Amino acid sequence: MTESEIESVLHEDRQFPPSEAFRKLSRLSSEAEYQKLYRESIDSPETFWGRVALELPWMQDFDQVLDWSNAPFAKWFVGGKLNASAVCLDQHLSNGRADKTAILWEGEPGDTQTYTYKELHAAVCRFANALKARGVKKGDRVAIYMPMIPELAMAVLACARIGAAHSVVFGGFSAQALRDRVEDGGCTAVITADGGWRRGKVLPLKQEVDAGVEGIDSVHTVMVVRRTENEVTWKAGRDVWYHEAIQDVSEDCEPEPMDSEDVLFLLYTSGSTGKPKGIVHTTGGYMVGTYLTTQYVFDLQEDDVYWCTADVGWITGHSYIVYGPMANGATVMMYEGAPTTPHAGRFWELCEKHKVTIFYTAPTAIRTFMRLGDEHPERFDLSSLRLLGTVGEAINPEAWMWYRKVIGGDRCPIVDTWWQTETGGIMLTPLPGVTATKPGSATRPFFGVDAAILAEDGTELGPNKGGLLCIRKPWPAMLRGIWGDKQRYVDTYWSDVKGAYFAGDGARRDEDGYFWIMGRVDDVINVSGHRLSTMEVESSLVSHPKVCEAAVVARPDEITGQAICAFVTLGKDVEVTDALRTELNAHVAKEIGKLARPADMRFTDALPKTRSGKIMRRLLRDVAAGVESSGDTSTLEDFTVLAKLRGDGE
Ligand code: WT7
């Protein structure tokens, strides 16, 4: 570990300019051109974005590019009307892409399906009509809780087509997490499947939905896609099979003209306090933002086979599996299962088989593959790859170098993309034909992104000074708010730093203007590239009858980036056993989902607190990481607590 740390410090000085071969064929290949476009996008955003927006098929032209008079509530492309599903599908029926493959899908068991744009359009229209027939209409919210099958993308686009906002809940979340989101969003319908394949087993999604929506009267429809022949229980009147519902509906469904600022979707994300936030994205700005970023960041060309390995249940899947790539008419690969099922080389096998050219994944996956060994990728022909990307957390230089060498054959540029559920699209990123990359840095801002490292008073910090990563100007794909809570939006994102958007990351900017993300500054843990709130994991632990108190912190983890470490105080006379550990883990999995299960659980009689009763998480973080506390401990109420904790479990 120490060795690699020293190594990574050395590697930070390395730079990888795009190769001549890549540059020659790429969309944008000169620094001067990037500078010119970037300057325009910052100095005259309305000219820049107005021009880009006109590349989309509008049903009614917008009359104003940006209305920021009610900041921080932005309105983009004011007065314009469009439909996101028509942007993704209908335009391609008449621009030469009708018979181009839109979705190239492979199930975990190895079954495959492909849809051309024409076929996908027809399927989405039927899906939309089936939803309409069940009474789903413009302005409704529909929860989608599905495995990674083509019908997931179709469900998303079908909702967009009829103007119902979708709220996709990742299939790995629990029934309870689904319930919270269905209730908060006031969803009236849920789309799910009888199951999905994951690690050779069937995930019983319908069963979770049954538990999740039990007693919620607003849910009038549960539409179920048959995927696994898994037995399901049925609630007559509410439940309907998708394959039956699409039988007697037409293949024609006119896309609903949506106002540019009509809600396209809600997507829930964790914050440091309170319940998950329903991040609101609207139609026009989001489509323009994802359209342009997909084009430039991935240097998308007509014959690319593009694979983003994220689940559609996360923002990455919304923006860079469905909306961005399809707005550009790309061939999108989708895979249902786990990266290592049935064997450790599965991803590479898929790259070879489907001749993937652009591959976008998470650092945690890269570290997993690194550990599994080079022999797995080496068994497959990866020469079709021309561009690699990462997202979700900072990538350590060692993993970056491995990715470049072993997967990219030293030939593919890597785009390390920084962004968030809230930003809707990529914010910091190399442009692959232009930017010389540095391992571990997301490099520079995308067009229109006025990113800066600020102090709390809003002043900009100099080179290499760590501070708060902020955005000073509105951008088209930005969130428009938190569902049902205007004030929380203002408080969470626009109040820490004067006049700027701040969503929790610390960073520094080097002498070349490159950004280096230093991680979250709030009580949010990034596990495998996904944000979890320590507070939520704590409250789920405390909701178990045997637990008195719990404190949850992050510790560094080689594979997942950060791992959850829980310090738990038990009720009187409760004995610490392996069975109890399993029980508490299962409890967290049930309350939130498996990804929130603590990697370490330490039982303690007391937690280190200040005299005012605040748990000193900073000290617990040091204990979890196994390092000495260097910071101030003078406010600690009882010093023996810390000593005991250090002794525990060693
Ligand atoms: C948080 C957002 C954006 C889709 C996936 C996660 C971290 C994301 C990077 C990166 C360093 C990154 C940040 C951010 N993050 N990408 N390239 N380098 N950190 O979406 O769940 O909304 O989480 O992920 O901490 O704030 P999310």
Side-chain angles (χ1 to χ4, degrees):
M1 194 62 214
T2 332
E3 250 177 39
S4 71
E5 267 165 26
I6 295 168
E7 224 175 47
S8 30
V9 170
L10 289 176
H11 284 168
E12 283 183 1
D13 294 330
R14 300 176 67 163
Q15 289 207 21
F16 296 86
S19 68
E20 255 335 289
F22 189 91
R23 201 187 274 270
K24 264 217 309 267
L25 298 172
S26 76
R27 231 166 228 285
L28 194 68
S29 56
S30 99
E31 172 70 18
E33 208 175 335
Y34 161 76
Q35 289 296 348
K36 193 172 135 236
L37 283 168
Y38 181 72
R39 281 282 31 115
E40 183 197 30
S41 73
I42 295 298
D43 299 339
S44 323
E46 313 207 358
T47 312
F48 179 89
W49 289 115
R51 187 176 63 232
V52 173
L54 287 179
E55 292 176 24
L56 298 189
W58 292 83
M59 294 165 157
Q60 181 181 303
D61 288 347
F62 48 90
D63 18 63
Q64 191 186 350
V65 173
L66 169 66
D67 177 0
W68 189 233
S69 58
N70 188 27
F73 297 91
K75 285 191 179 148
W76 283 89
F77 312 112
V78 185
K81 288 199 193 301
L82 77 173
N83 181 287
S85 97
V87 174
C88 292
L89 303 170
D90 303 38
Q91 64 163 325
H92 305 311
L93 303 188
S94 54
N95 66 8
R97 296 194 182 105
D99 296 317
K100 178 176 175 174
T101 301
I103 296 181
L104 188 59
W105 175 84
E106 182 149 341
E108 192 180 80
D111 47 335
T112 57
Q113 286 183 41
T114 58
Y115 289 85
T116 63
Y117 271 97
K118 196 158 99 199
E119 290 164 342
L120 185 60
H121 175 266
V124 168
C125 286
R126 295 189 98 114
F127 208 141
N129 282 331
L131 290 172
K132 271 191 185 170
R134 295 290 303 193
V136 180
K137 56 185 189 311
K138 181 172 177 177
D140 288 356
R141 271 86 49 213
V142 176
I144 300 177
Y145 184 71
M146 286 175 83
M148 278 286 285
I149 55 179
E151 289 81 357
L152 169 51
M154 291 171 197
V156 162
L157 292 168
C159 288
R161 195 161 192 90
I162 62 179
H166 51 77
S167 170
V168 185
V169 179
F170 171 56
F173 276 127
S174 67
Q176 183 60 45
L178 175 65
R179 169 180 293 271
D180 294 344
R181 287 157 177 74
V182 167
E183 281 183 332
D184 186 79
C187 298
T188 52
V190 180
I191 305 170
T192 187
D194 60 351
W197 289 98
R198 192 81 193 170
R199 297 203 173 79
K201 285 198 288 230
V202 171
L203 287 181
L205 294 162
K206 170 65 165 65
Q207 195 181 306
E208 296 292 311
V209 170
D210 288 339
V213 305
E214 170 74 46
I216 305 182
D217 296 332
S218 62
V219 176
H220 58 64
T221 294
V222 173
M223 194 173 279
V224 188
V225 176
R226 187 185 266 161
R227 161 69 185 135
T228 61
E229 311 283 326
N230 199 24
E231 286 249 352
V232 292
T233 47
W234 210 249
K235 187 163 167 186
R238 184 196 68 182
D239 297 354
V240 50
W241 283 110
Y242 161 77
H243 62 267
E244 287 173 7
I246 57 168
Q247 278 304 309
D248 20 76
V249 295
S250 127
E251 228 177 69
D252 295 315
C253 175
E254 281 304 307
E256 194 68 39
M258 300 298 284
D259 189 273
S260 180
E261 283 302 330
D262 277 340
V263 176
L264 178 59
F265 64 86
L266 311 183
L267 187 59
Y268 286 80
T269 192
S270 299
S272 53
T273 53
K275 56 180 177 144
K277 300 171 288 200
I279 302 300
V280 178
H281 282 288
T282 58
T283 310
Y286 176 80
M287 289 310 296
V288 171
T290 54
Y291 163 78
L292 195 75
T293 45
T294 303
Q295 221 174 67
Y296 280 104
V297 175
F298 300 110
D299 181 45
L300 197 67
Q301 312 275 351
E302 202 53 54
D303 53 357
D304 273 316
V305 176
Y306 166 93
W307 184 17
C308 163
T309 70
D311 193 289
V312 171
W314 308 109
I315 190 68
T316 308
H318 283 59
S319 303
Y320 298 110
I321 294 178
V322 183
Y323 290 113
M326 292 186 187
N328 283 285
T331 294
V332 177
M333 150 107 191
M334 262 177 98
Y335 170 60
E336 177 185 34
T340 51
T341 304
H343 59 81
R346 188 58 194 274
F347 266 17
W348 319 123
E349 178 184 51
L350 289 166
C351 283
E352 176 185 287
K353 179 171 167 190
H354 299 289
K355 303 209 166 34
V356 172
T357 58
I358 302 172
F359 180 75
Y360 189 34
T361 197
T364 180
I366 297 166
R367 288 190 296 266
T368 303
F369 295 130
M370 218 173 128
R371 170 174 290 185
L372 289 168
D374 297 5
E375 63 270 28
H376 304 291
E378 276 165 6
R379 270 173 43 223
F380 299 97
D381 176 7
L382 299 179
S383 61
S384 59
L385 290 172
R386 63 178 199 91
L387 177 68
L388 304 174
T390 69
V391 60
E393 57 181 313
I395 180 164
N396 47 310
E398 198 188 346
W400 194 101
M401 290 304 300
W402 182 87
Y403 195 31
R404 179 176 163 98
K405 196 166 135 255
V406 180
I407 305 305
D410 263 329
R411 134 193 113 249
C412 307
I414 297 178
V415 289
D416 173 351
T417 62
W418 176 90
W419 57 294
Q420 308 175 304
T421 303
E422 294 87 341
T423 68
I426 293 168
M427 301 294 275
L428 301 179
T429 178
L431 292 182
V434 176
T435 320
T437 50
K438 301 185 190 184
S441 169
T443 75
R444 302 187 293 191
F446 186 73
F447 301 131
V449 176
D450 183 18
I453 306 298
L454 303 181
E456 280 178 15
D457 63 4
T459 51
E460 187 162 6
L461 301 178
N464 293 312
K465 293 264 187 317
L468 310 174
L469 173 55
C470 296
I471 316 294
R472 293 183 291 201
K473 279 194 166 67
W475 62 101
M478 68 192 285
L479 76 164
R480 298 302 195 267
I482 295 173
W483 184 252
D485 201 340
K486 276 194 158 177
Q487 193 53 42
R488 192 174 175 201
Y489 165 66
V490 179
D491 294 345
T492 310
Y493 301 108
W494 298 91
S495 302
D496 290 294
V497 183
K498 222 173 142 250
Y501 165 90
F502 172 63
D505 284 347
R508 70 180 163 90
R509 194 170 194 180
D510 70 17
E511 50 290 339
D512 298 326
Y514 282 40
F515 287 86
W516 298 81
I517 312 297
M518 291 154 66
R520 307 281 310 174
V521 301
D522 51 16
D523 284 328
V524 170
I525 302 185
N526 190 325
V527 182
S528 301
H530 301 296
R531 267 197 282 174
L532 291 170
S533 142
T534 54
M535 199 274 320
E536 285 168 68
V537 182
E538 283 167 7
S539 56
S540 84
L541 281 166
V542 176
S543 73
H544 190 280
K546 289 176 185 162
V547 175
C548 267
E549 200 172 29
V552 164
V553 297
R555 68 155 167 77
D557 184 272
E558 274 189 39
I559 301 292
T560 56
Q562 291 192 320
I564 299 175
C565 183
F567 294 87
V568 177
T569 310
L570 295 169
K572 213 167 149 284
D573 302 330
V574 179
E575 229 184 292
V576 176
T577 59
D578 283 342
L580 179 67
R581 280 177 199 274
T582 315
E583 193 179 320
L584 294 181
N585 261 313
H587 181 72
V588 174
K590 182 165 161 281
E591 291 274 309
I592 307 178
K594 283 186 180 166
L595 77 169
R597 285 180 305 191
D600 305 338
M601 210 182 288
R602 301 208 191 181
F603 296 100
T604 170
D605 293 337
L607 291 166
K609 290 187 184 170
T610 62
R611 249 154 273 187
S612 63
K614 269 205 173 131
I615 297 171
M616 295 183 73
R617 281 167 227 276
R618 175 167 57 80
L619 300 181
L620 290 175
R621 272 194 283 271
D622 293 339
V623 175
V627 300
E628 277 300 317
S629 292
S630 50
D632 179 24
T633 51
S634 60
T635 52
L636 189 61
E637 190 195 37
D638 178 358
F639 283 95
T640 62
V641 170
L642 202 59
K644 276 192 210 144
L645 274 174
R646 292 196 182 286
D648 179 53
E650 271 154 28

